[in-house]
Amino acid sequence: MSEAVRPGRVEEITSTSNPRIKSIKALALKKNRESEKLFLAEGMKLVTDALATGWAVRTLIHSKKLFDDEKLKSRVEKLATTVRARGGNVLITNDKILTSITRRDNAQMVVAVIEQNFVGADEIDCVQNNTWVALDRVRDPGNLGTIVRTADALGAKGVLLIGETTDPFALEAVRATMGSLFHTPIARMTEDAFLEFSATWKSSGGEIVGTHLQGAVDHREIDYSDKPQLILMGNEQKGLTEDLSKACTKLAYIAMDGAADSLNLAVATGIMLFEARRHALKPNSRNQ
Ligand code: SAM
């Protein structure tokens, strides 16, 4: 029989120098997020999404001000009940503390500390109609968050991070996902591990379409519907490494007609994903 979860505690904190608040603020640094395997998400929507998709919320922090508005009060109380029932704690604080945690004025009145979650390579299924996005050394957290959001919106199965990348759990990246982080599996591996993985992907019948400014194929000419697709995008400054380019079954170029040298990475990924998922998107389909 599974052991019953002991409900979490509720505590009111008014000082920014409280040790609990200090350890939450420390999650602004990547090294602390990595050692603790935790991250922060702000706002009622993101916290609701995290709980609905089963992510482990360790602590819910909210402003006492929410109790002034009956509607908000009832929403935050529901969140707090779910968090506590799953063993997480609730901290009731003030706007000054929330601003110091999120490091921005007009901070959201709800913040959560959540356990990080990466999927393993074995979860990247080489199955017909599956599309994965792989990113080589993505640097910009805003780009990464936007790509996760776009991958989610277009029905990609997940995002694979290759090499040294920006942290998907940085506050700026989490913000940019607009909640899609909780619906989109994220895997990570070194370039060497990816090169090994890519051989298995190809021998299982999968395609790897790399995007490259010297790409030989127009991205609109590819049939993305006949094989599982891995869309590989290059680093913002340097593009794809030579080894990664060689691992691709096709190198695609996105046609341009102006003076710009290249497209922004997140925009290029959006264009590629839209084309790769076109066959799967029903006319006028909306996410209700
Ligand atoms: N200076 C970099 C280079 O030489 O590749 C530019 C990188 S670009 C800002 C970032 C990534 O977006 C590229 O590596 C590629 O994956 C994709 N990209 C941007 N514009 C593209 C285009 N017109 N065709 C194909 N890929 C493109």
Side-chain angles (χ1 to χ4, degrees):
M1 227 169 74
S2 65
E3 233 178 86
V5 179
R6 187 191 287 194
R9 288 174 307 162
V10 183
E11 197 181 328
E12 187 165 342
I13 296 180
T14 51
S15 160
T16 41
S17 53
N18 177 289
R20 279 170 187 274
I21 299 300
K22 277 188 174 168
S23 67
I24 292 170
K25 276 160 62 176
L27 295 174
L29 294 180
K30 185 179 181 186
K31 69 171 190 285
N32 296 331
R33 286 194 298 273
E34 278 183 351
S35 63
E36 299 291 323
K37 296 193 170 43
L38 295 172
F39 70 103
L40 294 170
E42 306 156 274
M44 204 81 92
K45 180 199 175 328
L46 263 67
V47 179
T48 306
D49 278 7
L51 287 169
T53 47
W55 285 58
V57 174
R58 287 263 193 95
T59 311
L60 176 76
I61 309 125
H62 74 82
S63 168
K64 201 174 179 180
K65 245 197 202 164
L66 284 176
F67 291 148
D68 297 345
D69 178 315
E70 279 308 315
K71 241 185 180 166
L72 293 176
K73 183 179 175 206
S74 127
R75 282 181 72 188
V76 81
E77 278 176 349
K78 263 191 205 142
L79 292 182
T81 304
T82 311
V83 169
R84 291 190 63 214
R86 295 182 193 172
N89 297 317
V90 175
L91 303 181
I92 302 172
T93 63
N94 52 44
D95 289 1
K96 194 172 157 211
I97 290 182
L98 285 164
T99 301
S100 76
I101 291 172
T102 59
R103 297 171 172 213
R104 66 168 177 183
D105 296 335
N106 293 325
Q108 298 270 359
M109 288 199 271
V110 178
V111 174
V113 177
I114 305 175
E115 288 177 20
Q116 295 190 5
N117 188 18
F118 285 101
V119 300
D122 54 329
E123 292 189 45
I124 307 176
D125 284 342
C126 192
V127 173
Q128 185 64 15
N129 269 322
N130 277 9
T131 309
W132 276 77
V133 188
L135 304 174
D136 173 20
R137 296 162 298 159
V138 55
R139 281 271 165 263
D140 183 274
N143 274 345
L144 176 51
T146 305
I147 290 169
V148 169
R149 180 180 179 184
T150 310
D152 175 25
L154 294 173
K157 289 291 167 197
V159 175
L160 165 55
L161 305 176
I162 305 170
E164 277 294 311
T165 69
T166 190
D167 181 6
F169 296 112
L171 203 44
E172 194 185 342
V174 175
R175 269 177 204 147
T177 72
M178 298 291 285
S180 288
L181 174 69
F182 303 113
H183 302 272
T184 311
I186 297 186
R188 59 178 171 177
M189 56 181 80
T190 62
E191 180 172 332
D192 284 347
F194 177 79
L195 292 172
E196 244 177 67
F197 168 83
S198 67
T200 315
W201 177 269
K202 287 183 279 188
S203 65
S204 310
E207 182 112 83
I208 303 181
V209 179
T211 53
H212 203 289
L213 298 181
Q214 262 72 53
V217 195
D218 184 302
H219 83 291
R220 294 164 296 185
E221 314 265 285
I222 298 170
D223 180 359
Y224 300 90
S225 66
D226 64 342
K227 289 179 178 171
Q229 299 290 328
L230 208 151
I231 308 294
L232 178 52
M233 308 298 300
N235 165 270
E236 288 98 332
Q237 276 84 42
K238 298 180 179 154
L240 286 177
T241 66
E242 214 174 310
D243 284 346
L244 288 178
S245 304
K246 283 189 194 145
C248 297
T249 48
K250 291 190 170 87
L251 278 183
Y253 177 71
I254 303 167
M256 300 189 295
D257 193 21
D261 292 335
S262 65
L263 296 159
N264 159 276
L265 171 64
V267 170
T269 310
I271 293 171
M272 285 303 294
L273 271 179
F274 185 80
E275 210 54 37
R277 300 293 304 157
R278 186 187 284 273
H279 66 279
L281 298 171
K282 294 184 195 83
N284 285 324
S285 61
R286 294 190 213 298
N287 180 356
Q288 295 303 331

